[in-house]
Amino acid sequence: MKFFDREQGIGKDLALLGLVFGVLYFQFLGRLPLIDPDEGRYVEIPREMLERGDFITPTLNYVKYFEKPPLHYWLNAISLAVFGENEFAARFAGTLCGLATVLLTYYLGRKIYDRRAALISAGILGTAGGFLVLARINYTDMTLTFFLSAAFAFFMLASREGAEHRGRNYCLFYIFMALAVLAKGLIGIVLPGGVILAYLAFTKRWRLLREMRLGTGILVFLAVAAPWFVLVSLRNPEFPQFFFIHEHFQRFLTKVHHRYQPPWFFIPILAATLLPWSPFIPAALKKGWQEHKNGDALYLLLWAGVIFAFFSKSNSKLVPYILPVFPPLALLIGNWFREATSAAAVRRHGIAVGSLLLLLGAGAIGYPLVAPKPEVAVVDGAIVGGLFLVEGVVALWAGRTGNPFTLFASLGVAGYLFALAAPPVVYARMVDKSSVKTLSLALREKAGQDAKIACYMTYEQGVPFYTHRRAIVVGDRDELQFGSERGDNTGWYLDRDQFHRLWDSGDTVFATLRRRDLSTLQQSVRTPVRVVAVQGKEKLLVCNREVTGTVGALK
């Protein structure tokens, strides 16, 4: 407790937090192969940017790709240039944004609360299991989360009564909002705009519209965000319709991307990804509402609530979309811990959290033992389940003391240790199902420059990155549909019949495919299908020529 109450400069705390959580977030970051499809996609695009020397028009598998703006690609391109073309470089920028979001949460907590609340809030966000896992995967969403959170934070600091450095903070608000747009599109305007409008309506502080320096702010925003949109539109006249209409309005209002989930989808997702802190959300929200007249609590509630409602309403839902609600929730929970005075309430929460973690631990251990085809190995389930059990026991013990600091510190340390030990198990399981590194390295070794390489029925995003070669796509083009229809891509996008003729043409052809598609290929061609490499239980590399040495084993 004395450490949390000690007077200490913000810079020293940020350095300490950067060290403590930097170890957690960057440990063994490049040990495992890329997890497809996202990691392969979001590192191949910047690799092609570097190769082509074109940082305006993104390409994927060497065709135009306009689904996202370029900021995440640019950051990854810098990382590739500095660290080389490897898995660590692929994940570095996104992980750095995750760590920066933890530090930003501390900084905002220090400004609106005090040092104790700031450190607790940063500890909560930094040890939230789902946030850590998603920060260590190459997603655009963590980049968006940092820049969007920074925009929210600096508006909050600028708009407080008696705020210092008001002009500087408003300027930073516009800059970070522009960067959020460059990270993931119009969402960088829509979400801050929705939260601020709701905040003004609740507080009746419409005078902030004058204080916000809208004229200057718009110029600053456009100076940062507009150049790329202008340049890419001049070079690619088809960009505006695809990016703004198809990728924004149709994505939100329709099921065109086949990512529909029910409106309640993010409730269990949030509960799982914010463990071990999610059981404190109801109490933190209640306390925030009780204090909403002070403005800060109301702003944090709207920050979390508007974003949660927006994505819950959207017809396109993926787990990482929920990331921007983590910082305000961490601050609200941190404030609950700071001001908790009821020993009985602390004990209730300790019992609730401990019981939940014990239940999860028992489930993780028991599931592989009873499931007919468990997705988790017995050893992996025992490791993760055992860690949950330890956390549960710690929570029950700490809760019994009735001391909120003891409960936080115990859960924080247990959560930190869990985050050190559990992610390698989680990532290894994801890699086993999703990576194509083994197949790609076999391609690099065995496929000469005259050989053709293809992805049969499923485009494997990591193949071009690991091989530095363009792949023929057979069957559904999915997200490559738009780009494949621009320019001359003859011979690169084939239906099954065209590929079967290529297989029998006499050219040397290698193809990645899923096990379920092997029999279809074998029955459709005359030339024998030879297995060259196997990855996991589902992915194969095959060739229409005899190749020395098989990598892996066909089980």
Side-chain angles (χ1 to χ4, degrees):
M1 180 70 75
K2 291 181 180 180
F3 170 78
F4 282 76
D5 293 333
R6 182 191 309 159
E7 286 299 324
Q8 185 161 297
I10 291 177
K12 290 183 179 179
D13 276 347
L14 288 174
L16 177 63
L17 289 169
L19 176 62
V20 171
F21 288 108
V23 171
L24 190 64
Y25 277 56
F26 285 97
Q27 60 154 339
F28 309 126
L29 190 62
R31 171 179 288 183
L32 294 174
L34 298 176
I35 300 170
D36 276 350
D38 297 277
E39 289 203 304
R41 177 194 307 123
Y42 295 133
V43 72
E44 173 59 15
I45 293 171
R47 190 198 70 79
E48 291 181 19
M49 283 182 164
L50 289 169
E51 181 184 286
R52 296 182 300 109
D54 183 355
F55 296 89
I56 302 300
T57 302
T59 62
L60 178 61
N61 199 35
Y62 299 91
V63 298
K64 294 178 181 180
Y65 186 84
F66 293 145
E67 293 203 7
K68 301 288 187 300
L71 182 57
H72 187 74
Y73 310 148
W74 291 343
L75 295 175
N76 277 350
I78 294 171
S79 181
L80 291 173
V82 172
F83 299 112
E85 295 179 0
N86 53 60
E87 289 87 353
F88 177 86
R91 296 172 180 136
F92 178 82
T95 303
L96 183 62
C97 284
L99 177 61
T101 306
V102 175
L103 302 182
L104 175 71
T105 300
Y106 163 82
Y107 179 80
L108 183 57
R110 184 72 178 261
K111 292 293 185 178
I112 64 174
Y113 294 132
D114 57 22
R115 182 169 183 259
R116 185 195 303 184
L119 289 170
I120 292 174
S121 300
I124 287 169
L125 182 61
T127 56
F131 188 84
L132 170 67
V133 168
L134 294 173
R136 288 170 55 88
I137 300 175
N138 181 16
Y139 285 139
T140 59
D141 300 272
M142 191 56 76
T143 303
L144 169 69
T145 295
F146 170 67
F147 290 110
L148 194 61
S149 298
F152 279 119
F154 285 108
F155 178 86
M156 185 179 191
L157 295 177
S159 63
R160 301 179 81 212
E161 298 287 355
E164 297 179 350
H165 310 296
R166 191 184 301 274
R168 181 196 67 184
N169 288 332
Y170 273 131
C171 183
L172 289 171
F173 160 67
Y174 290 111
I175 290 173
F176 279 110
M177 187 166 62
L179 292 171
V181 170
L182 286 173
K184 209 167 181 183
L186 295 182
I187 205 78
I189 299 176
V190 172
L191 292 179
V195 171
I196 292 169
L197 184 62
Y199 179 71
L200 297 180
F202 270 100
T203 60
K204 309 299 183 186
R205 296 179 64 195
W206 298 105
R207 60 181 172 80
L208 285 178
L209 292 175
R210 295 192 300 273
E211 295 179 4
M212 287 173 61
R213 299 163 169 80
L214 282 171
T216 305
I218 290 172
L219 292 177
V220 171
F221 174 88
L222 291 176
V224 176
W228 177 77
F229 285 98
V230 172
L231 288 173
V232 75
S233 298
L234 289 174
R235 296 186 185 182
N236 308 275
E238 68 274 27
F239 169 81
Q241 193 281 333
F242 179 84
F243 182 80
F244 292 108
I245 304 301
H246 183 268
E247 282 302 304
H248 283 77
F249 295 105
Q250 289 184 350
R251 179 187 290 266
F252 182 82
L253 296 172
T254 73
K255 303 173 184 176
V256 66
H257 285 274
H258 309 293
R259 296 172 180 171
Y260 175 77
Q261 299 290 347
W264 49 262
F265 173 74
F266 286 118
I267 295 176
I269 293 298
L270 180 60
T273 51
L274 197 55
L275 280 172
W277 309 106
S278 49
F280 297 95
I281 292 176
L285 294 179
K286 180 180 178 181
K287 179 174 178 57
W289 181 250
Q290 291 170 344
E291 299 177 350
H292 73 278
K293 290 184 179 180
N294 71 13
D296 291 340
L298 176 63
Y299 186 83
L300 293 174
L301 288 171
L302 291 173
W303 176 353
V306 170
I307 295 177
F308 189 88
F310 178 87
F311 285 118
S312 295
K313 177 67 174 79
S314 172
N315 279 305
S316 179
K317 297 182 181 72
L318 290 174
V319 171
Y321 290 1
I322 201 64
L323 284 170
V325 310
F326 279 52
L329 288 178
L331 286 161
L332 288 166
I333 297 171
N335 187 48
W336 181 88
F337 272 102
R338 179 188 69 149
E339 297 190 357
T341 56
S342 170
V346 173
R347 281 192 286 270
R348 285 198 304 271
H349 280 84
I351 292 171
V353 175
S355 300
L356 175 62
L357 292 171
L358 290 176
L359 182 63
L360 290 173
I365 293 172
Y367 175 74
L369 301 175
V370 299
K373 295 182 178 180
E375 296 182 0
V376 180
V378 173
V379 174
D380 295 345
I383 293 173
V384 175
L387 291 169
F388 272 129
L389 292 178
V390 170
E391 279 193 301
V393 171
V394 168
L396 289 174
W397 169 81
R400 288 185 61 189
T401 67
N403 186 319
F405 173 76
T406 302
L407 180 58
F408 162 74
S410 301
L411 275 176
V413 171
Y416 190 92
L417 295 175
F418 182 95
L420 278 173
V425 176
V426 176
Y427 297 139
R429 185 60 49 192
M430 296 171 70
V431 164
D432 184 56
K433 296 176 61 177
S434 303
S435 177
V436 289
K437 183 173 184 178
T438 298
L439 306 187
S440 300
L441 295 182
L443 274 169
R444 289 178 60 176
E445 177 187 348
K446 300 178 184 299
Q449 289 301 312
D450 293 334
K452 294 179 169 61
I453 66 173
C455 296
Y456 185 76
M457 304 310 294
T458 302
Y459 174 55
E460 302 290 358
Q461 304 272 0
V463 167
F465 175 75
Y466 282 119
T467 63
H468 293 186
R469 294 175 63 173
R470 188 177 184 182
I472 297 170
V473 178
V474 182
D476 185 11
R477 304 179 190 183
D478 194 21
E479 60 191 355
L480 297 175
Q481 184 72 40
F482 174 84
S484 68
E485 296 172 349
R486 271 74 188 170
D488 182 11
N489 293 296
T490 304
W492 292 106
Y493 294 89
L494 309 178
D495 60 29
R496 282 191 295 184
D497 290 339
Q498 291 172 323
F499 179 75
H500 297 157
R501 289 194 292 271
L502 174 64
W503 187 269
D504 290 328
S505 67
D507 292 338
T508 300
V509 181
F510 289 79
T512 63
L513 76 165
R514 304 297 174 97
R515 185 184 296 269
R516 63 175 181 265
D517 296 316
L518 178 60
S519 60
T520 300
L521 178 61
Q522 290 173 325
Q523 295 168 13
S524 304
V525 296
R526 299 187 305 275
T527 307
V529 178
R530 298 172 173 87
V531 176
V532 176
V534 180
Q535 179 144 11
K537 298 179 180 179
E538 298 297 330
K539 298 187 178 183
L540 311 175
L541 175 66
V542 297
C543 185
N544 62 354
R545 295 287 183 271
E546 190 70 45
V547 178
T548 304
T550 299
V551 179
L554 187 60
K555 299 177 183 178

